[in-house]
Amino acid sequence: LGVDLGVLGLHGKIDSTINGLKAVKTHLEEVQKETEQTIQVKLTAAKQTFEDKKQEAAAAKERLEGLIDDKKAETEAAVVEWKTNHDRKKLEKRAERAEKYADACVEVALSSVAEAEIAILEAAAARKDADAAI
């Protein structure tokens, strides 16, 4: 049951990432039509969102480092042995670590989406400046 709950939570985070990417795509498609003031308002909001996610992303990256070390310590032979011996406790711990790893990766992806939105808006603002100089 713990695995199901972990997977469901991961699905929600993946959906959030996908929705964020779709929003970034929409910004990219529409940003050229917007005024400089509108772009600046959106840029300010995007920077705040990124700042809010920045600490979460940093914590997720730290968790990833520890989980990567744990993952390296698990050899395929050990996992096969756990399966053969039906060592539920070790297999459960492995599943929990894998879920935490996936969760941390999604957190980092969400932060990257927020950062991409800032980059797109900054690029649009720079393009507006360059076009206005002509």
Side-chain angles (χ1 to χ4, degrees), residues 1 5-6 10-11 25 33 37 58-59 61 67 102-103 114 124 129:
L1 186 63
L5 292 176
L10 190 56
H11 280 285
K25 180 182 176 201
K33 301 174 195 169
Q37 183 179 7
K61 286 179 183 177
L67 292 166
D103 185 62
D129 291 344

Side-chain angles (χ1 to χ4, degrees), residues 91-133:
L91 291 168
E92 185 68 31
K93 286 284 189 193
R94 177 176 171 254
E96 288 170 5
R97 279 193 303 273
E99 290 167 350
K100 288 177 184 176
Y101 181 80
D103 185 62
C105 286
V106 172
E107 286 292 328
V108 171
L110 284 169
S111 174
S112 295
V113 168
E115 191 170 9
E117 185 173 12
I118 291 169
I120 289 166
L121 292 166
E122 287 176 339
R127 175 55 54 203
K128 292 273 186 197
D129 291 344
D131 290 348

Side-chain angles (χ1 to χ4, degrees), residues 70-87 90-91 94:
D70 290 345
K71 195 174 182 182
K72 287 179 185 175
E74 287 176 359
T75 63
E76 283 187 42
V79 174
V80 168
E81 181 182 331
W82 298 341
K83 289 179 182 180
T84 302
N85 295 334
H86 302 285
D87 192 336
K90 288 182 180 176
L91 291 168
R94 177 176 171 254

Side-chain angles (χ1 to χ4, degrees), residues 32-45:
Q32 294 302 323
K33 301 174 195 169
E34 295 178 354
T35 66
E36 187 175 337
Q37 183 179 7
T38 303
I39 290 171
Q40 290 302 321
V41 167
K42 287 185 175 188
L43 181 56
T44 300

